[in-house]
Amino acid sequence: MGRPTVAPIAVTDLARVGEFLHGHLNRRISGSAWARALRVPWSVDAPNHGVMLLDGGDVVGVYLAFYSNRMLNGRSERFCNLGAWCVLPQYRLYSLQLLRALLRQEGYHFTDLSPSGNTVPINERLGFRYLDTATALMPNLPWPSWPGGLSVISARASIERVLTTEERQIYEDHQHAQATQQVMLTFGDAHCHVIFRRDRRRNLPLFASVLYVSNPSLFLRVVRFFGRHLLTRHGIPVTLMELRIVGGLPGGSLPLLSSRPKMFKSDSLQPDQIDNLYSELVCVAW
């Protein structure tokens, strides 16, 4: 064991970084799937794909990063979403070097939307703030059809016919994201674009997590029928929804006593300007 060095993860490093994460973090995800996840489907001029710890040319630790440019209040804002952080036990002493290398990058807002238990207090000490992640759990039931023309659309051509300009950008940017699926809820003249992912809790892949809704008021009206779609089309029996994302406590759901933390670090943005998109959550299907 030598003294490791920190280096940016370049495109040419994705294969070996993927194999490292497959072998040492999550064996359910293949090395090639990790590598594909780091090639984000949206357009962005990213400085790296994160940073890695090297000892004699061998990867002994990584901290992934997912970059994006977002338009907020007419301004282009640069984001760095912190992803998987994995360091071999004998090199844990050098773990913080990876995080500090990412945070030294100027001009970015940083998000950590899936911090592990040990990461949370470290983020606190480095100035990260918490997002409100109060979450509701809803059992997905086979409700009868809603009279009056409610539709849940998943075909691309049908979705594209009703997208607004802003929704179209989000839809196209996430169309090829590995971890998400998109549907359009339509009722009369109103519609709601929804992005969700299949999730694991207690190692059970029985959950859908709602990451984005374009029309919270409509979503809350028809949420049970969205749940029916998840049950009958995807075999998912439970939906998890952050109240800040869906606009309130959905009918037929129960508030969780505790929810997973999400954090961000920014000199100018407020919590209501941070969402789940353009992040590890949409790219990595764990």
Side-chain angles (χ1 to χ4, degrees):
M1 177 178 169
R3 184 176 180 84
T5 58
V6 176
I9 299 172
V11 171
T12 53
D13 300 311
L14 296 185
R16 62 174 177 159
V17 166
E19 290 302 324
F20 175 84
L21 290 169
H22 170 68
H24 299 286
L25 181 63
N26 190 332
R27 295 195 66 84
R28 287 194 303 268
I29 306 175
S30 68
S32 59
W34 276 112
R36 288 196 304 274
L38 282 164
R39 296 176 179 269
V40 299
W42 52 87
S43 177
V44 62
D45 184 16
N48 52 63
H49 296 279
V51 289
M52 56 186 174
L53 203 60
L54 299 175
D55 186 358
D58 295 327
V59 178
V60 297
V62 301
Y63 206 148
L64 304 184
F66 299 80
Y67 295 90
S68 62
N69 295 330
R70 308 286 302 274
M71 290 299 298
L72 298 176
N73 297 327
R75 289 172 50 90
S76 178
E77 305 285 358
R78 298 194 298 170
F79 283 81
C80 174
N81 169 244
L82 305 178
W85 188 7
C86 178
V87 179
L88 296 183
Q90 61 269 38
Y91 293 92
R92 295 278 168 81
L93 178 65
Y94 303 96
S95 297
L96 277 178
Q97 291 186 17
L98 296 174
L99 176 54
R100 292 187 185 280
L102 291 172
L103 295 182
R104 279 197 299 267
Q105 299 179 114
E106 296 183 355
Y108 286 96
H109 309 288
F110 296 92
T111 62
D112 193 346
L113 304 180
S114 52
S116 65
N118 293 333
T119 306
V120 171
I122 295 173
N123 284 349
E124 285 183 339
R125 290 196 296 271
L126 293 173
F128 279 74
R129 291 184 283 166
Y130 286 95
L131 295 170
D132 180 0
T133 56
T135 300
L137 178 151
M138 182 183 73
N140 299 328
L141 301 174
W143 298 97
S145 298
W146 181 310
L150 172 69
S151 297
V152 183
I153 303 168
S154 56
R156 176 169 184 164
S158 299
I159 290 177
E160 289 182 334
R161 281 199 290 268
V162 297
L163 289 170
T164 65
T165 300
E166 180 180 359
E167 291 167 351
R168 183 178 298 276
Q169 185 67 61
I170 292 173
Y171 178 81
E172 292 178 349
D173 284 347
H174 292 81
Q175 179 64 18
H176 300 291
Q178 287 190 167
T180 57
Q181 299 188 57
Q182 307 188 67
V183 297
M184 184 69 71
L185 311 178
T186 66
F187 185 64
D189 294 330
H191 69 270
C192 179
H193 177 207
V194 181
I195 301 179
F196 68 94
R197 61 172 282 141
R198 185 185 286 268
D199 252 329
R200 289 177 176 268
R201 295 293 171 101
R202 300 186 183 276
N203 207 30
L204 298 174
L206 305 177
F207 302 86
S209 290
V210 175
L211 302 180
Y212 168 79
V213 300
S214 67
N215 185 341
S217 61
L218 176 61
F219 182 82
L220 291 176
R221 288 181 62 194
V222 302
V223 63
R224 293 184 180 185
F225 302 93
F226 170 69
R228 180 185 68 177
H229 172 83
L230 294 177
L231 177 67
T232 59
R233 297 295 180 90
H234 300 277
I236 301 175
V238 182
T239 300
L240 298 170
M241 296 164 282
E242 291 180 33
L243 305 192
R244 71 185 181 96
I245 299 297
V246 301
L249 183 66
S253 69
L254 298 171
L256 295 184
L257 296 179
S258 63
S259 54
R260 293 181 174 180
K262 295 182 179 180
M263 310 177 79
F264 78 105
K265 180 179 174 67
S266 171
D267 293 331
S268 58
L269 299 185
Q270 298 304 310
D272 60 2
Q273 295 176 291
I274 308 296
D275 60 27
N276 296 315
L277 300 180
Y278 300 88
S279 70
E280 183 186 50
L281 295 179
V282 305
C283 292
V284 182
W286 52 71

